[in-house]
Amino acid sequence: VRTIAKPVAKLIDEFSRLPGIGPKTASRLTFYLLRTPKEQALALADALRELKEQTVFCSTCFNIAEASPCPICRDESRDRSIICVVEEPLDVLAIERTREYKALYHVLHGAISPVEGIGPDKLKIHELLERLKVEPVKEVLLATNPNLEGEATAMYLARLIAPLGLRVTRLALGLPVGGDLEYADEVTLTRALEGRREM
Ligand SMILES: [Zn+2]
């Protein structure tokens, strides 16, 4: 006997798939939305639809944008000789917030993780190397997270890029080890950018 309406069970199930949301929170969110005025709940549905239908990955840097190339890649005032390599689009936001960095990015969409079965081929590494061949880049700043996967990815990239004769730098230590770039405060991130070291 089904004791719970099908649409309710379905939404609880969908919420449960989200990172950091267990079955309890999924139920709470679902019942909150049940009590919410219809317009407000449907605004959430619209926002979700627009998120998927009105965003694209920039074909150059693979950041998320409303159009490709993204505003950062199109920005003529940016220094085109430096590419900052990050794991996720959220890391671009974190670095942009510092207002210290006025050059380009490349979003890998993850980090190398043998445990999770993520090899270099699953990341935008090939695309990065292609960019380095055609763009007037002088420095590649590796800003992957200061954890095991991020360090492994930085080492891997440094080895690939070194033969191209480009300067390869890494964000300075001082970022909390094991942490995520996106959670670093602006002061820490600014220092990490200023104190970047050669690899
Ligand atoms: Zn872009």
Side-chain angles (χ1 to χ4, degrees):
V1 184
R2 186 186 292 283
T3 56
I4 188 165
K6 209 167 160 190
V8 174
K10 190 174 169 188
L11 189 57
I12 292 174
D13 187 46
E14 290 298 331
F15 274 132
S16 305
R17 294 172 201 258
L18 300 177
I21 299 202
K24 252 186 178 164
T25 306
S27 300
R28 206 178 312 136
L29 288 171
T30 301
F31 283 95
Y32 169 81
L33 287 170
L34 264 175
R35 289 190 304 266
T36 300
K38 191 174 178 184
E39 313 79 66
Q40 199 184 321
L42 290 183
L44 176 64
D46 287 345
L48 272 178
R49 189 172 298 280
E50 282 168 24
L51 177 73
K52 299 311 285 186
E53 289 178 350
Q54 296 176 22
T55 57
V56 292
F57 289 120
C58 173
S59 58
T60 304
C61 72
F62 297 94
N63 196 9
I64 291 167
E66 286 171 67
S68 176
C70 72
I72 292 176
C73 287
R74 281 201 310 265
D75 185 350
E76 299 282 346
S77 71
R78 284 178 183 257
D79 181 352
R80 312 197 83 81
S81 72
I82 310 175
I83 291 182
C84 177
V85 179
V86 296
E87 293 181 22
E88 302 293 347
L90 274 173
D91 302 329
V92 173
L93 285 183
I95 294 174
E96 284 292 292
R97 269 200 305 269
T98 67
R99 296 168 192 277
E100 266 310 301
Y101 182 80
K102 286 277 183 287
L104 303 178
Y105 293 93
H106 191 87
V107 183
L108 295 173
H109 289 276
I112 296 171
S113 171
V115 180
E116 291 174 56
I118 302 172
D121 52 310
K122 297 240 173 90
L123 308 173
K124 301 293 180 193
I125 290 177
H126 173 73
E127 290 82 352
L128 172 65
L129 295 175
E130 290 301 306
R131 280 184 80 183
L132 298 181
K133 281 185 205 161
V134 296
E135 292 182 34
V137 182
K138 293 199 181 83
E139 176 183 345
V140 180
L141 167 56
L142 300 174
T144 48
N145 287 330
N147 55 27
L148 208 61
E149 292 81 12
E151 289 299 340
T153 307
M155 299 277 268
Y156 179 84
L157 288 175
R159 266 201 308 274
L160 278 182
I161 297 166
L164 304 177
L166 303 174
R167 188 178 172 209
V168 182
T169 52
R170 178 90 174 104
L171 279 190
L173 296 174
L175 282 172
V177 173
D180 267 15
L181 213 64
E182 57 175 286
Y183 301 127
D185 65 84
E186 286 155 47
V187 176
T188 306
L189 208 45
T190 299
R191 278 201 206 112
L193 281 163
E194 286 168 349
R196 62 189 193 254
R197 61 193 157 81
E198 308 291 329
M199 269 193 88

